[in-house]
Amino acid sequence: MIDAAGSDEFEALDGRETDRWTGELNGARYHVEVPENWNGILVMYAHGYRTGDPPELTVTNPQIREYLIDNNFAWAASSYSANYYDVRSGIEDTNALALAFNDIAAENGREDLPAPARKYIMGVSMGGHIAGAAIEQETRQSANHVVEYDGAAPFCGVMGDTELFNYFLAYNLAAMEIAGVGADFPVDPADAEEVNGQIREALWDDFDEDPGNVNADGQLLKEVLMNLSGGERPGYEQGFGEWQEVLQQYLPADGTVNGILNSNVLDTSDIIYRDASGDPVSFNDTILVVTPDPGANRQR
């Protein structure tokens, strides 16, 4: 069961007087902050991907909170009513909070507060995806809570939608193929630790000691990943080892994105695996190809 409990207070920034309200709306926590000299603009903030065991719903204040208050913007942020990569919940709960802004103000003694003259939405990572999707025509036509935003600002937004998860799958299929452990989809979660152990033993000198130090066989995986993630670039060599555990945790993914969908949405049919020179590698002809189930990510 998701815990919607959270702090009923959040502290003021040093030297700044604001109205700050928190509570619960439709199963989601929220924070709302209005400066003394509000300029009439409301900024909705969408947080990024979140999980937990058990999953607790928590609110994240915007990283630019100080800037917003110093420049007289009001802002509001929702925890969403669900964790994991649930963009629909992020949109619905953020929009519902935007629409409830004046009701929340009135409940807290600010009946005099006018309706926002303009509304913007911003977000980071998955929140960037939410910010972008919130202004799409599909959302405006089909959402339960519709807000006509005046602008959106995705920061480091996951704007490729399902392509991110296709990338996670392609990496793990390539790792299994190169390691010779037998590619399968989906990998049974009960077998994931063993399969990852076999991959690490086959492609790294000592994964636990240095996940950036692959052996001769692992060099091909390193080259393939470079091209899957954008090609040759500064910093790839230094960052390679930092992301291996994150990428490998998606080995048992079944394509439902943590159960958000009912069936597999993943698709590697258009992916070409390439080496450091950019040439297709030989296993393109033999590697397992995954295609999505019809209607898995249909328009709602």
Side-chain angles (χ1 to χ4, degrees):
M1 180 177 179
I2 291 179
D3 181 8
S7 172
D8 285 331
E9 297 180 3
F10 63 103
E11 298 297 324
L13 294 168
D14 289 343
R16 298 165 178 86
E17 291 297 327
T18 60
D19 286 319
R20 296 176 308 283
W21 308 311
T22 186
E24 184 177 327
L25 179 68
N26 301 333
R29 301 293 304 175
Y30 64 77
H31 285 178
V32 177
E33 187 167 27
V34 182
E36 280 189 306
N37 298 313
W38 181 40
N39 61 15
I41 300 174
L42 174 63
V43 177
M44 302 304 299
Y45 175 75
H47 71 68
Y49 179 86
R50 185 166 294 156
T51 184
D53 188 19
E56 182 178 347
L57 302 177
T58 55
V59 183
T60 298
N61 297 335
Q63 291 91 333
I64 61 169
R65 178 187 175 195
E66 184 173 332
Y67 172 87
L68 293 174
I69 296 305
D70 286 349
N71 288 274
N72 300 316
F73 293 91
W75 64 266
S78 171
S79 70
Y80 320 147
S81 55
N83 283 334
Y84 299 104
Y85 208 95
D86 194 336
V87 173
R88 188 181 188 190
S89 289
I91 293 171
E92 293 286 5
D93 294 324
T94 300
N95 284 0
L97 180 59
L99 296 171
F101 174 75
N102 284 95
D103 290 338
I104 292 171
E107 291 169 2
N108 289 275
R110 289 298 308 273
E111 296 87 349
D112 61 319
L113 205 64
R118 281 180 283 171
K119 300 186 187 77
Y120 296 107
I121 183 169
M122 62 169 288
V124 175
S125 191
M126 186 190 84
H129 187 170
I130 290 167
I135 62 171
E136 288 182 339
Q137 183 178 30
E138 177 184 342
T139 300
R140 292 160 61 194
Q141 291 177 341
S142 62
N144 295 320
H145 303 95
V146 177
V147 175
E148 294 291 341
Y149 289 105
D150 294 279
F155 294 91
C156 196
V158 187
M159 307 309 290
D161 198 16
T162 57
E163 289 184 16
L164 173 67
F165 298 95
N166 294 340
Y167 157 67
F168 292 154
L169 174 60
Y171 164 84
N172 282 289
L173 291 176
M176 288 187 284
E177 181 76 17
I178 296 169
V181 300
D184 195 12
F185 176 81
V187 172
D188 190 321
D191 299 330
E193 183 176 356
E194 180 181 355
V195 173
N196 268 328
Q198 293 172 344
I199 291 170
R200 294 174 181 183
E201 184 175 353
L203 304 182
W204 273 265
D205 291 326
D206 188 336
F207 184 92
D208 293 333
E209 180 68 24
D210 184 3
N213 186 23
V214 293
N215 60 26
D217 293 328
Q219 181 61 31
L220 180 56
L221 177 64
K222 192 173 185 178
E223 296 172 7
V224 164
L225 178 61
M226 180 184 72
N227 286 291
L228 285 174
S229 59
E232 186 175 357
R233 57 198 183 272
Y236 176 76
E237 185 72 26
Q238 293 81 357
F240 172 79
E242 298 295 324
W243 290 97
Q244 293 310 300
E245 289 196 14
V246 174
L247 291 168
Q248 291 175 12
Q249 76 179 11
Y250 288 95
L251 179 73
D254 63 359
T256 65
V257 193
N258 300 114
I260 302 304
L261 302 172
N262 294 323
S263 58
N264 170 50
V265 73
L266 301 180
D267 186 358
T268 64
S269 60
D270 291 332
I271 288 177
I272 300 175
Y273 302 86
R274 301 180 184 275
D275 61 21
S277 66
D279 294 330
V281 298
S282 59
F283 67 70
N284 276 288
D285 296 328
T286 58
I287 193 169
L288 177 66
V289 175
V290 174
T291 56
D293 296 333
N297 195 29
R298 68 190 183 281
Q299 187 175 27
R300 298 183 186 274

